[in-house]
Amino acid sequence: MSSAERALVIIPTYNESENLPRLIPSVLSRDARLEILVVDDASPDGTGRMAEEIAAAESRVHVLHRAGKLGLGTAYLDGFRWGLRHGYDVLFEMDADFSHDPVHLPQFLDAIEKYDLVLGSRYLHGRVTVVNWPMGRLLLSWFANLYAGWVTGLPIADATGGFKCFRREVLAAIDLDRVESNGYAFQIEMSFRAWKKGFRLGEIPIMFVDRDQGESKMSKKIVREAVWRVWRLRFLAMFGRLEARKPPPAIAP
């Protein structure tokens, strides 16, 4: 990144009051160009109010409030729209639970000079860099990525990971209103749409540590969505329906 570029780290939250006061200073300390957008889904534990208090004292922190628990994918989409409207050049996806270590942020900023979308990978070059997951969940994640790659053809090792960095051109080129997924499939869909538009995808290795505070948002519904959604993406691409059709030209009176 050049010194003139601005970067926004989008952090969706729901009941993350234990993590937010530790996470925000850690993110901001990594690079002076980084700013934060907290997208809070009306957390009952007061996370949104806490984020407002932090933002009042720190100009690099911003808060977007939503009416309720509307899902991870839509939180990122709302964050992308906010970031594009406010002129950021680089936009991150990042979890609020420290499973995505802020220490990796400078590596993303370096890699985004070469790529249009940089993904933080837990499985790069055959290495598994995951801590604190039970074997069953690790195997589920591993095989889910193999499955997603086989169905979609995505040339990446970790299609379901959520620590990502986009150049604004990628998000501006994707019709965000057409993105349908909301769980882990959302990560696959965003990378798939970027790849199909010809953008350069790159990966960096990250250490993924399962959350140490709060509760996981994983559910069977999220897993089921990912299983069938990849086939929908494949068929939409095959039949040229991944993007919205252009409206017919107006007929002059």
Side-chain angles (χ1 to χ4, degrees):
M1 290 178 64
S2 71
S3 59
E5 289 182 312
R6 304 166 65 213
L8 183 69
V9 181
I10 301 168
I11 305 177
T13 57
Y14 185 79
N15 289 348
E16 297 289 357
S17 61
E18 293 176 309
N19 289 316
L20 209 60
R22 297 183 296 141
L23 180 64
I24 287 177
S26 183
V27 170
L28 295 181
S29 70
R30 306 300 165 174
D31 193 288
R33 295 165 294 181
L34 291 171
E35 298 183 32
I36 293 172
L37 175 66
V38 176
V39 182
D40 186 66
D41 276 6
S43 298
D45 73 344
T47 300
R49 182 174 62 254
M50 177 182 292
E52 287 287 0
E53 293 172 355
I54 295 172
E58 172 54 70
S59 62
R60 293 163 64 195
V61 177
H62 317 278
V63 186
L64 180 61
H65 295 282
R66 305 205 306 164
K69 193 175 182 181
L70 304 175
L72 184 67
T74 62
Y76 279 127
L77 291 175
D78 285 344
F80 293 154
R81 294 182 183 104
W82 190 96
L84 291 173
R85 286 198 306 270
H86 288 81
Y88 290 90
D89 303 289
V90 170
L91 298 93
F92 285 84
E93 293 182 23
M94 186 176 182
D95 287 351
D97 59 8
F98 281 97
S99 57
H100 298 157
D101 194 333
V103 73
H104 294 299
L105 290 169
Q107 297 169 250
F108 278 98
L109 292 174
D110 288 340
I112 203 66
E113 294 183 359
K114 181 179 179 181
Y115 299 103
D116 302 305
L117 166 57
V118 179
L119 305 98
S121 178
R122 301 160 292 181
Y123 309 116
L124 198 59
H125 307 311
R127 296 181 62 231
V128 177
T129 53
V130 176
V131 178
N132 291 343
W133 266 5
M135 184 56 68
R137 184 170 179 184
L138 180 58
L139 289 174
L140 174 64
S141 175
W142 174 269
F143 284 111
N145 276 287
L146 292 178
Y147 173 78
W150 174 68
V151 174
T152 65
L154 267 170
I156 53 179
D158 192 353
T160 62
F163 201 1
K164 304 166 82 167
C165 180
F166 297 82
R167 283 202 164 273
R168 71 170 289 118
E169 291 84 1
V170 178
L171 298 173
I174 293 173
D175 185 349
L176 298 179
D177 293 335
R178 296 274 293 181
V179 176
E180 301 173 339
S181 310
N182 204 19
Y184 283 142
F186 171 80
Q187 306 301 350
I188 302 170
E189 180 169 353
M190 289 299 296
S191 297
F192 185 75
R193 288 179 179 275
W195 178 54
K196 283 298 182 180
K197 282 188 167 291
F199 289 107
R200 301 163 297 172
L201 275 58
E203 291 182 277
I204 62 171
I206 63 166
M207 181 62 67
F208 181 94
V209 181
D210 198 18
R211 63 162 51 238
D212 61 356
Q213 298 286 341
E215 298 180 0
S216 173
K217 310 300 191 295
M218 165 70 92
S219 70
K220 291 181 180 179
K221 180 180 178 181
I222 288 173
V223 174
R224 287 196 299 268
E225 181 196 22
V227 168
W228 69 266
R229 184 71 72 178
V230 291
W231 286 103
R232 176 167 172 78
L233 290 172
R234 176 174 175 172
F235 289 126
L236 286 174
M238 285 175 59
F239 294 105
R241 298 178 59 191
L242 197 61
E243 292 294 321
R245 294 179 179 176
K246 293 181 179 180
I251 300 176

